[in-house]
Amino acid sequence: MDKILNLFAFLPFSIVVSCLISIHCISTINAQEFEFNPHDYYSIEDYQSTADGKSISTSEEKSFATLEEESTSSSDDTSDQDSEDSEKENCINNQIQSVLHSNNADDMKTDSYYSDFHFIKKFNKNGTLVDSWGNVGSNDGEFLHAHGITIDSEDNIYVSDAENCNIQKFDNNGTFITMWGKKGKSGGEFLQPESMAVDSRDNIYIAEYSAENIQKFDNNGTFITMWGKKGDDEGEFKKPWGVALDSKNNVYVSDQALPRVQKFDSNGSFIDMWGKKGEKKGQFVHQHDITVDANDLVYVTDGRQNSRISVFDDTGKFIKHWGSEGKNEGQFIENHGIVVDSEGNVYVVDTRNVRIQKFNNDGNFITMWGSLGCKDNQFLIPHDIAIDSKGYVYVTDSGKSHFRANYDCNKNSK
C-alpha cells in the first residue's frame, strides 16, 4: 500500500486533476442521460443511508452499475452539456434510448411487455386499479414521458408530456379529445412541461421547467398568457415544477432550484412569496409539487433530505409538516405529486419508493399501494397525481425503466 501511495505522490498534479475532472464529467453525463442532473436523484451511497438503515441489495447495486455503464457508452453526445444552464433538448427522442432501452421505436412496439405498459393509471380511493391507457409514441393518446396531470370541472383529464412537449386531453375513460403544443419557447410551445393545475373557469396552468415560465390556456388549448423568466427576483424562476390554484384563482408555484413558493393572481401579477433553504419549519431543501385544498391550505412536497409534506395557509404562514426519509409508512424517498380529496385526505406520490401513500389531513397514515413492476397496478417512475369529482385517483407513470436499478419492462417478466 505504501508503494502505491508513493507512486501517486510522484504523479504530475495535472494528471490527478484531469482524472478527477473526468470522474465528475462521467457522473454528470450518467445523470443527464436519465433526465436530471446529479443533484436530483440519489447515488447508491445516498440510498444506503435512508432512514431505515438498510443497504441496497447486492443485485440492485450490480444492476445499477450496469445501468451506469450503458449510460457512459453514449456519453460522447452529451459531454458538452451543462444541465443547469443550457437549454434542455427534451422534446422528441432526447431520452428515448435511456427511458425505453431501445434504438428503434418500431421494435419497441412489438415487445409484449412494452405493449402492456401504460403511462396513465386510474385507481379507486383505496388503491384498486380501475383502468389504464397510453402506450409509447407521439400520436394521439401516446406518450414518451407522461408527467403532470390535472382534472377540470367536467372530469376531463389533462396530461403533460415532457419529451413530446405537448399537452393531451382525455375524458375520464381515457378517450382522446385533443392535443396541443410543440417544441419552442414562445406561447403555446414547450421545452419541458411539468405539473399543471385548473382554475374555476377550467383554464389550464402549466409549469414550464426548462423555459422557466408559467403558461395559461383555455380548456381547448388556446394560449392565453405566460409569465416568468430565469432569475431569483420576484416573478422569476429557475426550475418551476409545481403549480396550484386556490378558491380565488390565485396561482402558487413551487421551484425545484429555489427554496420558495411564489403566489400570483390569475394573470401572473406577483402577490407574495415565502420560504428559504433549510430543515426548520417552513423551510425547504428540494421542492417538487404543490396543491391547495378546499380551505385554501397550501401543501408542498419537499423531496430531498427533508422528505416531508409542509402545509401553509394562503399567506405563507406555516401550519404543520410530516414525513421523513425512509421506506416505512409515512416516510418518503423523492416524494413528488400531491393532491387533496374532497374529504381532506392527502395522496402523495412517493416516487423512489414506487408507491402512493394516503393520509388524513392531520398527516396520519391511512394506506398505501404500489410496487416496482410492469403491471398496471405497479409503477416504474410515478410522478404526478390527480382526483376527479367521483374520487377516482389518476397517476402518471413517466417511464418504463426505473432509475434505481436496471429494471426494464422489455427485460423482466410480469
Side-chain angles (χ1 to χ4, degrees):
M1 177 61 70
D2 291 337
K3 291 182 179 180
I4 294 174
L5 292 175
N6 290 334
L7 176 63
F8 275 101
F10 286 100
L11 283 175
F13 178 75
S14 60
I15 294 177
V16 176
V17 172
S18 297
C19 290
L20 293 173
I21 292 174
S22 298
I23 293 170
H24 171 74
C25 290
I26 291 172
S27 174
T28 302
I29 291 163
N30 287 343
Q32 286 178 349
E33 190 71 12
F34 288 86
E35 179 185 1
F36 297 118
N37 64 58
H39 303 290
D40 287 308
Y41 286 120
Y42 298 162
S43 65
I44 293 174
E45 289 77 12
D46 291 328
Y47 188 69
Q48 288 173 332
S49 66
T50 52
D52 66 356
K54 295 181 180 179
S55 297
I56 193 169
S57 69
T58 303
S59 60
E60 272 190 316
E61 186 171 356
K62 180 179 179 181
S63 187
F64 196 100
T66 302
L67 193 62
E68 289 186 329
E69 289 174 4
E70 291 178 1
S71 175
T72 305
S73 66
S74 60
S75 63
D76 291 341
D77 295 331
T78 56
S79 60
D80 60 346
Q81 293 180 2
D82 186 327
S83 61
E84 290 287 336
D85 298 319
S86 65
E87 177 182 323
K88 290 186 177 181
E89 298 294 336
N90 284 324
C91 301
I92 308 298
N93 297 329
N94 182 51
Q95 300 171 38
I96 193 167
Q97 292 186 34
S98 60
V99 175
L100 302 180
H101 280 215
S102 175
N103 294 322
N104 189 313
D106 291 332
D107 290 343
M108 289 186 291
K109 291 184 179 181
T110 64
D111 188 282
S112 59
Y113 300 145
Y114 178 74
S115 64
D116 289 339
F117 176 84
H118 297 105
F119 288 84
I120 313 302
K121 305 174 187 227
K122 179 179 179 180
F123 304 88
N124 68 17
K125 61 183 180 180
N126 297 314
T128 300
L129 181 72
V130 175
D131 197 4
S132 62
W133 72 88
N135 291 114
V136 70
S138 302
N139 297 318
D140 296 353
E142 297 178 339
F143 304 95
L144 291 181
H145 187 117
H147 194 111
I149 189 166
T150 194
I151 300 175
D152 68 18
S153 63
E154 297 181 353
D155 284 344
N156 294 309
I157 317 297
Y158 302 80
V159 182
S160 65
D161 191 321
E163 288 187 51
N164 277 324
C165 289
N166 61 32
I167 310 299
Q168 295 195 59
K169 178 180 179 180
F170 305 85
D171 68 16
N172 59 0
N173 295 313
T175 302
F176 175 84
I177 297 175
T178 190
M179 180 195 320
W180 72 88
K182 62 179 181 179
K183 178 180 176 180
K185 293 185 176 181
S186 301
E189 298 177 340
F190 307 105
L191 292 179
Q192 190 176 346
E194 298 285 349
S195 298
M196 301 181 293
V198 178
D199 69 15
S200 62
R201 301 181 182 89
D202 283 344
N203 295 311
I204 315 299
Y205 299 75
I206 301 165
E208 226 303 330
Y209 180 93
S210 290
E212 292 97 12
N213 61 47
I214 304 298
Q215 296 197 44
K216 178 181 177 180
F217 302 83
D218 70 18
N219 60 2
N220 294 312
T222 302
F223 175 79
I224 297 175
T225 189
M226 63 189 291
W227 69 89
K229 62 179 181 179
K230 186 173 183 177
D232 302 23
D233 293 336
E234 296 176 355
E236 296 179 342
F237 310 104
K238 282 196 174 176
K239 292 182 179 179
W241 187 286
V243 60
L245 277 291
D246 67 15
S247 62
K248 300 176 183 177
N249 289 332
N250 294 311
V251 184
Y252 301 79
V253 180
S254 59
D255 197 311
Q256 193 183 77
L258 295 172
R260 67 188 188 189
V261 172
Q262 293 195 70
K263 180 179 179 179
F264 306 87
D265 68 18
S266 60
N267 296 312
S269 297
F270 177 85
I271 297 175
D272 196 6
M273 67 180 177
W274 68 84
K276 62 180 181 179
K277 189 169 185 177
E279 300 178 358
K280 296 180 180 179
K281 294 179 179 179
Q283 297 180 341
F284 308 105
V285 173
H286 191 91
Q287 296 174 92
H288 276 133
D289 220 331
I290 188 168
T291 195
V292 180
D293 70 11
N295 297 313
D296 286 344
L297 296 180
V298 181
Y299 298 70
V300 183
T301 57
D302 193 354
R304 181 63 54 80
Q305 295 178 9
N306 286 337
S307 298
R308 66 192 183 194
I309 310 302
S310 295
V311 186
F312 307 85
D313 68 16
D314 61 353
T315 68
K317 179 182 178 181
F318 175 81
I319 297 177
K320 58 190 172 187
H321 64 226
W322 73 86
S324 61
E325 187 179 57
K327 296 191 288 184
N328 298 321
E329 296 176 356
Q331 294 184 315
F332 310 101
I333 302 179
E334 291 290 344
N335 44 322
H336 278 246
I338 185 168
V339 71
V340 183
D341 68 18
S342 60
E343 299 173 351
N345 297 309
V346 184
Y347 300 75
V348 181
V349 181
D350 190 359
T351 298
R352 196 176 175 104
N353 282 324
V354 286
R355 66 189 183 187
I356 307 301
Q357 294 198 62
K358 179 180 178 180
F359 306 87
N360 67 17
N361 57 7
D362 290 321
N364 297 315
F365 176 84
I366 297 175
T367 189
M368 64 183 176
W369 69 89
S371 61
L372 177 62
C374 300
K375 296 180 181 179
D376 278 338
N377 62 352
Q378 298 177 307
F379 302 107
L380 289 168
I381 312 179
H383 253 129
D384 206 0
I385 190 167
I387 296 178
D388 69 16
S389 64
K390 297 179 181 178
Y392 288 111
V393 180
Y394 302 77
V395 180
T396 55
D397 195 342
S398 63
K400 285 171 55 273
S401 182
H402 190 255
F403 48 74
R404 190 176 72 195
N406 192 12
Y407 194 102
D408 187 325
C409 291
N410 284 328
K411 299 178 181 178
N412 292 272
S413 64
K414 295 179 282 186

